[in-house]
Amino acid sequence: MRKEIPLAIAFVTGFVVLLEYFFLPAVPASKAWATMLQQWGIVVSGFAMFVAATNLVLVNVKKMDPKRNKEWYNPVLLLVFMFGMAFIGLFVGERTATYQFLFTKMYQPLGTAMFALMVFFIASAAQRAFRAKSVEAALLLAAGIIVMLGRAPVGELAGSWLPNLTNWIMNFPNVAGNRAIMMGAALGATATAFRALVGIDRSYLGVD
Amino acid sequence: MTSDIGIWVAAICTLAMFSFLWKENSIFRSFQHIYVGIAAGYGMVRQWQAINNMAITPLLTKGVTTWIVPIILGVLLFARFFKSIAYLSRWSVAFLIGIGGALSIKILETEFIRQAQATFVPMNSFNNIVLVLGTVAGLCYFYFTIKPSTALLGVAKLGRYVLMISFGAGFGNAVMGRVSLLISRMQFLFGQWIYLIKM
Amino acid sequence: MDLLVKLGNIDRRVIYILLILATLVPLVRPIGLPFSVSEATKKFYAAVEQVPAGETILMAIDYSVGGGPDIHPQGQAVFRHAMARGLKVVFVAFVTEGTEFANQIIAEGEKMAGKTYGVDFVNLGYVPGSEVAISAFAQDVLKVYPKDVRGNVTADLPIMQGIATVADFVLVTEFATGIPGPSEWIKQVGTRYNVPLAIGVVTVMGPQTTPYYQAGQLVGLLSGLKSAAEYEVAMKAPGLATAAMDAQSIDHIVIVLFIILGNIAYFAGKGKKGR
């Protein structure tokens, strides 16, 4: 029964939602059931975050041992900020100065700076490894350079041909390539979803 | 230079992250942990607000008892931390898979049928020919079901070229996006922290 | 020849410093390079422009802090446009940080003369569940959002009168850094409800979102900070995004030059080996 019950749950919930979606959107009962299940889905998803948080706590408590971890203070910092932010948000108030300070003066700059670092790595990697070694690499390189120059205002200095060429790349070859990927992935995603619903793919249960 | 302590803290956070450019260091790692900590704490606040507003308050104050079901399913997710009842958490996962899977099947319409329809354009201009042949050739490149013939391999090669142009466009845009992030940090550091840029 | 080959091995720190300078100099001494407004941005602008004054539009703020600066100016520009046109804006978020970004946009709205929270704009906040949440929200707005972020009962707010499903908005706009994004919104809202959908994405997502726009599934598409700058220009109200465009140009030139130098070094080295 350990496998059968979850398989049945996935099948029945999926079936109810599909029924409303494709066949009975106008039938009130079918709509009501499908809507309710989706609203329940929101609540269950919300709990999932707390499972992740619990996991984070368990992992970091283990790492706090100064004998094993030279930087034992890092997990301490993580947990202090985690519970500090949660406590202030839930019990002190979200519109308080401290909460806003943590979000706008720490979280936002840290997150943005972390992602901004990427530009340095992209630039240095491109300089080292982005070589026109084959037709494919040359096409990739040329398209990349044209788009980089053509989408920035500086491209318009060279005349309208560069932005026009950029728009052409974006609207025709780029759409064709991305559309091919999109259509292939859509077929794959449909098959995967269907396999999970009917119980052929059971990887989410931790079994093959 | 500003005397606002908030700006100073934000500047220190930014510089701590940028210190990684010199080399991986302990200050960077500490601030990385702070970042994850705040993210997790913030996430908890958001999730709790949503669950509380939607299910717990209506259950407790208005007696809307149907909310018990998702709350129980949500709590069951924690069963994974206890070996003897870990299997119960699969019920909740199965529930989410069922709904998510069913909703995602719509992708067949939006990203297959509608995209195919949009590719059915008259081949009366160079651009339309590029669009149609490019898409078909790209699809041929991803076709693995049968052993490819020479003709299919030729078309697939064309498809590979089209994909490379797409990836090139992707690369150009990826650089562009990251540059935007760098600019925003520079606008902050040299505009709000050190008054070098006129804002 | 050796010098050319050496160009392929510039110390990465030199590249970093040059990039920082290439960003800083045009910010300190702006050049003011002009640029035109793209077709997709014009369409987005027109979609907001066509909404009759007094009607309500939806702005879904689905972006995280990582990509924030690349897309937040889009949200700000569209909101300013909506306010200038006398529209009402309902904010929702299906990415946690979206709530805070919407609050930041609204803080600007509260400083505008004659604009009031709950009447001209409201932030309903975040709900978890990604695609499932979007679908549930689209079907029954008030059930998914019984309260706004400030704890007001949503059904009692003046702005929410007459809003039951997503089809009650005259225009739906969404701004995304990832998932949920265009794919989920087109699936759950675009094809199911008779409401125009316009989407803004971070620059990285631009190429993969273009097929939806080209297929007519979106009425407008904004891609990254450049589109935000174009939107500011379309509104004739240049802001921070426009100010960033000089630096964007110079940075791109520097990166392209590095790539070209790398290739010169590669072919020079190859020629040497060949001999």
Side-chain angles (χ1 to χ4, degrees):
Chain A
M1 289 308 276
R2 288 191 177 188
K3 278 179 203 163
E4 284 77 2
I5 292 176
L7 287 177
I9 292 175
F11 181 78
V12 173
T13 49
F15 182 75
V16 172
V17 175
L18 274 181
L19 197 69
E20 188 265 342
Y21 219 89
F22 287 105
F23 305 109
L24 304 170
V27 177
S30 129
K31 197 171 176 58
W33 274 91
T35 309
M36 187 181 72
L37 284 180
Q38 288 170 42
Q39 289 166 354
W40 287 3
I42 294 177
V43 177
V44 182
S45 304
F47 277 94
M49 163 75 206
F50 290 94
V51 175
T54 311
N55 215 14
L56 196 64
V57 173
L58 292 177
V59 168
N60 279 283
V61 165
K62 268 188 208 156
K63 282 192 192 162
M64 275 165 33
D65 183 356
K67 281 179 206 152
R68 286 188 194 167
N69 185 2
K70 228 168 51 180
E71 293 186 352
W72 55 270
Y73 47 84
N74 281 338
V76 175
L77 276 173
L78 189 150
L79 293 176
V80 166
F81 276 89
M82 176 175 163
F83 285 110
M85 185 75 179
F87 180 81
I88 295 166
L90 293 173
F91 301 107
V92 184
E94 284 183 50
R95 297 184 75 193
T96 55
T98 323
Y99 185 83
Q100 288 304 320
F101 183 92
L102 282 168
F103 192 91
T104 58
K105 305 300 182 205
M106 297 190 77
Y107 187 53
Q108 251 179 296
L110 284 171
T112 311
M114 188 133 66
F115 281 84
L117 279 179
M118 298 277 275
V119 71
F120 295 103
F121 306 140
I122 293 180
S124 113
Q127 197 266 342
R128 267 153 222 282
F130 212 0
R131 307 277 195 259
K133 285 180 181 171
S134 62
V135 180
E136 283 89 341
L139 282 172
L140 198 142
L141 193 72
I145 289 178
I146 293 168
V147 168
M148 253 190 273
L149 294 177
R151 274 210 76 200
V154 72
E156 299 194 21
L157 283 183
S160 59
W161 67 272
L162 191 53
N164 286 346
L165 183 59
T166 304
N167 285 337
W168 181 81
I169 290 178
M170 289 297 287
N171 291 329
F172 296 98
N174 168 62
V175 164
N178 273 303
R179 186 168 278 163
I181 296 172
M182 194 183 267
M183 289 170 78
L187 287 180
T190 311
T192 309
F194 189 73
R195 283 165 59 90
L197 289 185
V198 295
I200 301 171
D201 184 347
R202 302 174 183 192
S203 50
Y204 68 92
L205 298 177
V207 288
D208 293 321
Chain B
M1 202 175 242
T2 183
S3 55
D4 183 332
I5 186 141
I7 305 275
W8 270 89
V9 171
I12 291 167
C13 287
T14 306
L15 293 176
M17 284 287 131
F18 280 0
S19 71
F20 187 82
L21 290 173
W22 190 252
K23 65 178 201 182
E24 224 266 7
N25 61 73
S26 62
I27 292 176
F28 171 80
R29 285 193 293 274
S30 293
F31 276 85
Q32 210 179 18
H33 279 79
I34 292 175
Y35 174 72
V36 176
I38 301 179
Y42 176 72
M44 281 158 70
V45 175
R46 288 272 71 85
Q47 313 292 337
W48 177 256
Q49 297 275 349
I51 302 172
N52 188 32
N53 284 346
M54 211 176 149
I56 296 174
T57 307
L59 172 73
L60 297 180
T61 59
K62 291 180 192 159
V64 188
T65 46
T66 45
W67 287 116
I68 288 177
V69 183
I71 292 172
I72 290 174
L73 281 173
V75 173
L76 280 184
L77 281 169
F78 288 89
R80 61 187 297 127
F81 295 114
F82 309 96
K83 247 187 187 155
S84 58
I85 51 163
Y87 69 95
L88 288 174
S89 71
R90 293 177 189 160
W91 293 14
S92 323
V93 176
F95 179 77
L96 291 176
I97 293 274
I99 301 174
L103 284 179
S104 74
I105 283 180
K106 190 87 176 169
I107 201 170
L108 198 61
E109 179 189 339
T110 59
E111 289 176 25
F112 190 84
I113 298 169
R114 288 291 295 274
Q115 296 301 323
Q117 278 174 340
T119 315
F120 277 104
V121 289
M123 304 247 275
N124 54 7
S125 68
F126 176 68
N127 289 346
N128 284 359
I129 293 171
V130 170
L131 188 69
V132 176
L133 286 187
T135 310
V136 173
L139 280 169
C140 288
Y141 180 69
F142 289 116
Y143 192 71
F144 305 117
T145 314
I146 53 164
K147 196 166 179 253
S149 64
T150 325
L152 185 64
L153 281 176
V155 181
K157 190 166 188 179
L158 177 68
R160 200 160 68 207
Y161 292 160
V162 173
L163 287 172
M164 285 303 149
I165 298 178
S166 299
F167 295 151
F171 173 78
N173 278 281
V175 168
M176 197 165 178
R178 302 307 182 201
V179 165
S180 305
L181 299 183
L182 175 65
I183 294 172
S184 95
R185 282 297 87 200
M186 298 293 274
Q187 279 177 328
F188 165 76
L189 283 178
F190 293 97
Q192 286 175 266
W193 185 45
I194 303 171
Y195 301 138
L196 198 61
I197 303 169
K198 281 185 199 142
M199 301 288 276
Chain C
M1 211 57 170
D2 280 346
L3 181 74
L4 286 180
V5 177
K6 272 183 193 160
L7 283 177
N9 273 321
I10 307 169
D11 187 84
R12 63 188 169 88
R13 284 159 201 173
V14 175
I15 300 179
Y16 298 165
I17 289 168
L18 282 174
L19 256 183
I20 289 173
L21 287 176
T23 317
L24 184 59
V25 173
L27 286 176
V28 177
R29 294 214 173 275
I31 318 161
L33 290 170
F35 54 89
S36 47
V37 180
S38 75
E39 191 62 34
T41 306
K42 279 182 192 161
K43 288 254 181 81
F44 199 121
Y45 182 82
V48 178
E49 196 67 23
Q50 278 160 14
V51 179
E55 294 287 353
T56 311
I57 67 167
L58 180 76
M59 284 180 74
I61 307 294
D62 295 340
Y63 45 85
S64 53
V65 291
D70 195 25
I71 192 167
H72 190 54
Q74 290 179 8
Q76 289 172 311
V78 173
F79 176 72
R80 281 178 206 144
H81 186 199
M83 286 300 109
R85 292 233 35 255
L87 310 183
K88 296 171 185 173
V89 180
V90 172
F91 287 94
V92 289
F94 297 93
V95 166
T96 50
E97 287 108 324
T99 309
E100 240 48 56
F101 281 115
N103 277 338
Q104 289 173 14
I105 297 177
I106 277 180
E108 196 185 321
E110 284 185 305
K111 288 182 196 142
M112 294 175 185
K115 303 289 178 192
T116 320
Y117 183 89
V119 179
D120 298 288
F121 38 76
V122 67
N123 185 6
L124 299 184
Y126 162 84
V127 283
S130 195
E131 189 171 358
V132 176
I134 294 169
S135 171
F137 157 77
Q139 290 165 37
D140 192 340
V141 175
L142 297 180
K143 195 79 178 269
V144 172
Y145 285 109
K147 285 183 183 166
D148 72 351
V149 285
R150 298 188 182 178
N152 303 309
V153 175
T154 313
D156 296 345
L157 293 167
I159 189 173
M160 296 305 291
Q161 303 312 309
I163 305 279
T165 74
V166 80
D168 296 321
F169 295 103
V170 181
L171 172 70
V172 172
T173 64
E174 196 244 0
F175 302 86
T177 43
I179 297 171
S183 175
E184 288 72 25
W185 277 85
I186 290 168
K187 263 187 275 173
Q188 304 310 334
V189 174
T191 50
R192 296 202 80 190
Y193 298 88
N194 187 21
V195 55
L197 179 63
I199 280 183
V201 291
V202 275
T203 323
V204 187
M205 286 168 72
Q208 73 216 48
T209 312
T210 315
Y212 300 114
Y213 172 69
Q214 203 266 353
Q217 290 164 304
L218 303 174
V219 295
L221 172 64
L222 300 179
S223 173
L225 192 65
K226 170 74 187 309
S227 292
E230 291 173 6
Y231 207 98
E232 289 176 355
V233 168
M235 289 197 311
K236 298 186 180 65
L240 271 183
T242 312
M245 281 303 111
D246 287 339
Q248 187 96 45
S249 291
I250 307 298
D251 274 345
H252 286 198
I253 292 175
V254 168
I255 293 170
V256 167
L257 282 178
F258 279 133
I259 295 174
I260 293 173
L261 283 180
N263 274 278
I264 292 175
Y266 169 70
F267 285 107
K270 217 174 155 188
K272 213 175 167 187
K273 264 185 215 163
R275 266 180 301 172

